[in-house]
Amino acid sequence: MKRVLMSVMAVGTLMMAGFATAATVTATDAQHALAAAKTAMAKTSAVHYLWLSTPKIYKEAQAADKAGKYDEAVVKAKHAEELANLAYAQGEAQAKKYGVKLTDHGVQMD
């Protein structure tokens, strides 16, 4: 878990650095990032493995988008997307380790 948190922090830092030097971020960019995050969260939520912090960060991204802070919205949405993808990967790894399957009903025995 410590490795996952360190990875998340590193990804967040790199994303923030990348957008700090990027050209202007538009509302369209923010909408695309929010849509990608929502898709990743839905996939992870479908197998009942979404981390609790992910929806909070997504809501912060939505609030930033509504406030016209598109660069912040993109960073937070990409962070939420990455968290959802990491959670799904963790679920898959643990399912494989214990010989179970991730389904839309949660974890099921073979």
Side-chain angles (χ1 to χ4, degrees):
M1 186 67 174
K2 189 174 182 180
R3 287 184 187 172
V4 171
L5 290 176
M6 294 302 290
S7 297
V8 169
M9 289 174 48
V11 167
T13 302
L14 290 173
M15 287 191 318
M16 286 182 193
F19 283 107
T21 60
T24 57
V25 179
T26 66
T28 303
D29 297 331
Q31 290 301 312
H32 286 272
L34 286 165
K38 188 173 185 177
T39 301
M41 289 171 53
K43 175 183 171 186
T44 305
S45 185
V47 294
H48 306 279
Y49 228 86
L50 191 64
W51 293 338
L52 296 176
S53 60
T54 309
K56 293 176 186 176
I57 294 170
Y58 181 76
K59 286 179 184 176
E60 291 173 6
Q62 286 180 312
D65 179 50
K66 287 180 183 175
K69 299 177 182 177
Y70 303 124
D71 54 341
E72 181 181 335
V74 169
V75 169
K76 289 185 182 284
K78 288 193 177 281
H79 187 194
E81 179 184 10
E82 185 65 23
L83 288 176
N85 289 333
L86 288 169
Y88 192 86
Q90 180 185 23
E92 284 183 323
Q94 289 182 349
K96 182 178 179 183
K97 178 180 178 180
Y98 294 107
V100 296
K101 293 181 183 176
L102 287 180
T103 70
D104 59 351
H105 299 291
V107 176
Q108 291 188 342
M109 302 300 270
D110 282 337

